[in-house]
Every structure is written in C-alpha cells, then in structure tokens.
Amino acid sequence: MRIPEHLAIIMDGNGRWAQKRHLPRLIGHRKGVERVQDVVDECLALGIRHLTLYAFSSENWGRPREEVEALMGLLGAYLQRELKRLPMRRIRLLAIGELDRLPEKIRSVLDEIIASTAGNNDLVLTLALSYGGRNELVRATRTLAREVAAGRLDPEAIDEARLAGALDTAGIPDPDLLIRTSGETRISNFLLWQAAYAEFVFLDVLWPDFSAAHLHRALGEFARRERRFGLTASQLDAGEEEAGH
Ligand code: FPP
C-alpha cells in the first residue's frame, strides 16, 4: 500500500466530545493528548516519516483564559513526559509557529527536546504551536524583505523554493495527506502553502475517539486516490519510467 511520507492532522472535536458527556472541555483535551500518543506510536510502526499535528492555532489564543491555560498545562505535561522518552525512541521533535508567544517554561522544554532528539530520524514529529498559515507567510515575507533591504537578496531571485525555505517548515517535505477529524471540512489556516497538493480526508469522528482503525481508513483512502500534481496520466507514467519505477 502507498503510504504518505508526510501525514498532517487537524485534531478537532475535543470540546464536542466533552460536551456530549457533560464534562468540562479540559477532559476532552486530556483524552486528545492520549490519542496523540497513540497516533505517534502507530505512525512509527507504519514507517511514516513525518507527522505534523495542529496542536494550538494562532486563533486558539482567543479562547477563554482558563481553556488556554488548561491547554498550555496539558502541553507542558506532555512535553515533560516526552523529554524523558523521546530521545530513546527514534523520534525527532520539531515545532512550527510563533513560538515566542508560548510561555517561557514551554519554550525551554521544547528547546531541550528539539536539541536532544536532533539525531533521531525514523519519525519527525512536528508540533504546530501558536501556528497559523497566514502568520507564517507574513513572517517569511518579513524575513525575505529584510534580506532585500540589507542588499543581500535580489527581489528577482525570490522563487517558490526561496519562499518555502523562509517558512517554519523549511527542510520538511510538503504533506501528502491531511486528515481532519470531527466532520468539519475546512483547512482552518493550517499549512496553507505546504498543502497545495495534499490529499484531504475528512473523518466524522471526534479526536478523542480517533483510533488506529480511523487512521488505517484514511491511509486506505489515500492509497486509492490518484495524485497528478496538475499533470496528465501519461505525463506521470513517462516521469515514473524515467525515474525507474
Ligand atoms: C480541537 O478541539 C483541538 C484543539 C484546540 C487542540 C488540540 C489539542 C490537543 C489534542 C491536546 C494538546 C496537544 C498536544 C500535542 C499535547 P476543539 O476544542 O476545537 O473541539 P470543538 O471544535 O469540539 O470545540
């Protein structure tokens, strides 16, 4: 079966899962963290090389203060646990987003894990934290504009590769498959540039109920779809022959 090299997930529906059970939203988020741990293990077992999770969006800062604090608390606890486990587990951790908006304690544990897992490469786990695709593009534009203003970059030399290299995801391949749970069918400002050719699979399951079976269903759907990147089928066949497979 054709497996995506890079899987990205919008983990949605924690709040609704809790509401349905008359529980505080925090309990839904807590269950959500358990699913994060399961999906990371499953991706490692399947040989998926990149997993990117939308854990906290730029827009999530606008949620009630108690919920933001609860999410930061869960994230901090998750990272503390992973700090002990990840270096031994063939997983490399990366983070994308406006990381300087995160609490200092979270930033420092993140830096520590990123440094201590830098040599691991079975699975690259990228957490999108305080992340928004438009914000990322604005920051990348500023980076390039500063280079131009300093006389180090010719505006004509700015091409797709140069812009991609200024994004938080520089060096990470584009996602091949993007899954969103909870039945919503929006991209919600996630990986706007990078998802240009991604396959989208929307699942009608709330994130705390997401299981290995749901992941396998999405992977099966991905394997069945034909990806053409804007080319014709015969152009693609010719390209594959050239590449020798
Ligand atoms: C969407 O549920 C989910 C989030 C806002 C954040 C996802 C966060 C986690 C799974 C936990 C933290 C992650 C890590 C990596 C430790 P929602 O609250 O928007 O659900 P709703 O749409 O039903 O209200």
Side-chain angles (χ1 to χ4, degrees):
M1 192 168 90
R2 199 160 56 92
I3 289 265
E5 182 188 9
H6 183 172
L7 166 65
I9 308 183
I10 302 178
M11 310 178 287
D12 193 14
N14 296 345
R16 273 163 286 171
W17 183 93
Q19 263 154 19
K20 268 174 46 181
R21 290 163 178 75
H22 308 286
L23 294 168
R25 294 173 63 83
L26 168 65
I27 307 292
H29 293 313
R30 199 178 282 159
K31 279 276 167 213
V33 178
E34 292 173 18
R35 296 295 85 78
V36 167
Q37 286 157 345
D38 297 345
V39 87
V40 168
D41 288 342
E42 193 62 21
C43 286
L44 199 54
L46 288 166
I48 291 173
R49 301 299 303 272
H50 290 267
L51 173 65
T52 299
L53 301 174
Y54 206 2
F56 193 87
S57 72
S58 307
E59 291 74 24
N60 286 156
W61 289 115
R63 292 200 174 187
R65 194 170 56 87
E66 314 79 74
E67 187 171 346
V68 171
E69 283 175 3
L71 278 166
M72 289 298 143
L74 284 174
L75 177 63
Y78 168 81
L79 292 173
Q80 285 295 346
R81 282 196 301 279
E82 296 302 299
L83 180 60
K84 301 198 188 79
R85 289 176 351 131
L86 278 182
M88 279 100 70
R89 291 183 71 219
R90 301 178 289 151
I91 299 171
R92 175 176 188 189
L93 188 87
L94 296 176
I96 55 171
E98 251 186 322
L99 304 179
D100 51 11
R101 288 184 75 182
L102 295 170
E104 170 55 33
K105 248 176 75 183
I106 296 208
R107 276 206 330 263
S108 67
V109 63
L110 256 183
D111 288 345
E112 219 178 320
I113 307 182
I114 291 169
S116 64
T117 62
N120 298 354
N121 63 6
D122 282 13
L123 173 66
V124 179
L125 169 61
T126 302
L127 296 181
L129 298 169
S130 187
Y131 177 86
R134 287 184 172 181
N135 170 270
E136 180 190 35
L137 282 160
V138 167
R139 287 183 290 107
T141 305
R142 282 196 197 128
T143 303
L144 296 178
R146 276 194 292 267
E147 291 291 297
V148 171
R152 289 191 292 263
L153 177 63
D154 175 359
E156 298 309 315
I158 300 176
D159 55 11
E160 293 186 9
R162 180 75 73 147
L163 180 46
L167 296 172
D168 297 347
T169 50
I172 302 174
D174 287 343
D176 312 288
L177 171 62
L178 192 148
I179 297 175
R180 180 174 188 149
T181 60
S182 94
E184 306 288 350
T185 50
R186 289 185 297 277
I187 190 165
S188 295
N189 209 8
F190 189 42
L191 301 178
L192 293 181
W193 170 278
Q194 299 86 342
Y197 290 103
E199 291 291 335
F200 286 65
V201 173
F202 298 103
L203 295 174
D204 208 359
V205 57
L206 302 174
W207 177 250
D209 290 327
F210 187 82
S211 66
H214 295 106
L215 177 61
H216 287 271
R217 192 191 305 164
L219 292 174
E221 175 70 33
F222 172 78
R224 276 190 299 278
R225 290 190 197 168
E226 191 187 357
R227 301 179 75 209
R228 289 205 183 148
F229 303 95
L231 302 174
T232 66
S234 52
Q235 280 177 307
L236 275 179
D237 287 345
E240 286 200 358
E241 265 160 39
E242 234 165 68
H245 51 90

